Amino acid sequence: MSRSSLPTPCLVVVMPCYNEEEVLPRTFGVMSVLLARYVASGLVAASSYVLCVDDGSQDQTWKLISNESDTNGYIQGLKLSRNCGHQNALLAGLSSVPEAQIIVSLDADLQDDPEVIHDMILAWQAGHDVVYGARNDRASDTLFKRQTANVFYKIMLSMGVNIVPNHADFRLLDRAALNALLEYNERNLFLRGLVPLIGFSSTVVYYSRSARLAGESKYPLRKMIGFAVQGITSFSITPLRMISACGLIISLLSVVAILYVIFEKIMGHVVLGWTSVTLAIFFMGGVQMLSLGVIGEYIGKIYLETKNRPNFHVEKRTKHFS
């Protein structure tokens, strides 16, 4: 059902920020011009704005947001009490915009092309409640990052996680879709996997990813690996089933080995040596430690979920944001 005949919607762009003082001045300018153009064309309401969520930055990020909001009605801000992580900062912003009809999440570095928001709104007008922004060109990434990203999405899909390939957290949510998303009270957040679970009508728009103009990437290899583990263990029990299958295979091989040893004993061909014993000990020790590590990851998530601690605390708001 087309929404083009509905009243002009209020758009809020939620933008997590962590140590982004180098890129924010340009980001403010680009987004203000963008929103002013959308408002002038009647695409969105004049009440639309960008909500910058300072995720406990160590630099001048909050000062820049606060100062900009004093003179620019298109920029508002929230400051979290500490660094809670990208996903929690995004959730803080999403849960703080009850007046918005359409909500877009976008990173502050603007590597994800903000001009695509126009296509997202058109897709929303056509009746889609969720619009994913997916990259069709990763030329700006290093070869290593492109390859690891491809491996990441393949692993996630093979583990049964419903995820949109080459989609980060650049997406549009209708108010109804966002309300459904906010009903999920998980402590271990992986929004890329949660959003497809709500089951609302969705589509994908494609764009080319730009290079970061300033600052450092907030997802080095260590965090990328951690993010992948978070996604897999939050949405799939396949690793646990793999441990069970591995245990079954090793048990069957052990039976064969026992029969072989007994046969060799009967035939009098037993050779004393430590190599085979040492290899067996190291192999089984490695398998057991790996298995305990995977099981421990799941137990740790259960532990955190049962505590039911809040994901974030809002410390400050800009003057004109309530």
Side-chain angles (χ1 to χ4, degrees):
M1 175 181 171
S2 175
R3 296 187 174 106
S4 56
S5 59
L6 295 177
T8 306
C10 172
L11 164 68
V12 174
V13 180
V14 176
M15 188 176 289
C17 305
Y18 179 66
N19 292 344
E20 297 288 6
E21 65 177 4
E22 295 182 61
V23 302
L24 280 180
R26 174 181 177 273
T27 299
F28 292 151
V30 170
M31 295 306 299
S32 297
V33 170
L34 192 76
L35 286 181
R37 191 168 76 240
Y38 290 172
V39 170
S41 66
L43 188 65
V44 300
S47 57
S48 301
Y49 60 92
V50 177
L51 177 59
C52 300
V53 183
D54 179 13
D55 185 23
S57 297
Q58 305 296 315
D59 59 6
Q60 298 298 310
T61 292
W62 176 248
K63 183 178 180 180
L64 290 172
I65 295 170
S66 182
N67 291 343
E68 185 71 20
S69 70
D70 289 339
T71 58
N72 186 346
Y74 288 125
I75 304 298
Q76 300 297 334
L78 289 177
K79 177 176 173 56
L80 303 187
S81 59
R82 63 178 180 84
N83 179 239
C84 300
H86 179 274
Q87 298 290 279
N88 285 319
L90 183 52
L91 181 66
L94 293 175
S95 59
S96 302
V97 290
E99 75 281 15
Q101 281 82 51
I102 49 178
I103 304 91
V104 172
S105 54
L106 176 67
D107 287 344
D109 56 21
L110 298 188
Q111 284 187 270
D112 299 319
D113 187 1
E115 293 289 345
V116 178
I117 294 175
H118 180 273
D119 297 332
M120 290 180 166
I121 296 174
L122 294 182
W124 173 81
Q125 288 180 342
H128 297 290
D129 301 301
V130 181
V131 185
Y132 300 101
R135 306 159 193 169
N136 59 6
D137 181 6
R138 304 188 70 117
S140 62
D141 292 338
T142 63
L143 177 62
F144 176 76
K145 190 165 185 178
R146 287 198 300 271
Q147 294 299 323
T148 54
N150 289 332
V151 171
F152 168 76
Y153 288 110
K154 288 179 180 178
I155 291 176
M156 295 294 284
L157 291 171
S158 67
M159 292 287 180
V161 181
N162 187 10
I163 189 171
V164 178
N166 292 313
H167 162 69
D169 284 298
F170 184 27
R171 70 178 73 86
L172 177 148
L173 294 171
D174 176 69
R175 166 50 56 187
L178 177 57
N179 288 342
L181 177 64
L182 294 178
E183 291 179 10
Y184 290 80
N185 298 315
E186 300 184 18
R187 307 274 77 77
N188 301 284
L189 277 179
F190 186 70
L191 293 174
R192 299 183 200 183
L194 275 179
V195 174
L197 282 182
I198 65 178
F200 283 66
S201 172
S202 65
T203 189
V204 180
V205 295
Y206 294 94
Y207 64 95
S208 297
R209 183 172 171 83
S210 304
R212 174 180 268 269
L213 296 180
E216 298 180 352
S217 171
K218 303 305 183 292
Y219 273 97
L221 179 61
R222 175 180 59 82
K223 285 192 174 182
M224 287 176 62
I225 293 174
F227 196 58
V229 172
Q230 171 85 324
I232 292 170
T233 55
S234 294
F235 285 88
S236 174
I237 60 170
T238 300
L240 295 176
R241 289 175 176 168
M242 291 173 64
I243 289 175
S244 299
C246 182
L248 177 61
I249 292 171
I250 292 175
S251 297
L252 293 175
L253 292 176
S254 298
V255 171
V256 174
I258 289 170
L259 294 175
Y260 173 76
V261 169
I262 293 174
F263 176 78
E264 290 294 298
K265 177 69 174 177
I266 294 173
M267 299 300 295
H269 297 157
V270 178
V271 178
L272 296 176
W274 60 272
T275 303
S276 58
V277 175
T278 303
L279 288 175
I281 291 173
F282 275 106
F283 174 71
M284 288 306 301
V287 170
Q288 289 172 350
M289 292 302 294
L290 176 62
S291 302
L292 286 173
V294 174
I295 295 170
E297 186 72 25
Y298 281 93
I299 293 174
K301 282 190 164 36
I302 295 171
Y303 170 73
L304 293 175
E305 291 290 342
T306 56
K307 283 181 173 293
N308 200 31
R309 291 173 176 169
N311 292 65
F312 56 85
H313 293 290
V314 176
E315 180 181 348
K316 297 178 182 178
R317 292 176 168 82
T318 48
K319 295 179 183 177
H320 306 291
F321 181 71
S322 57

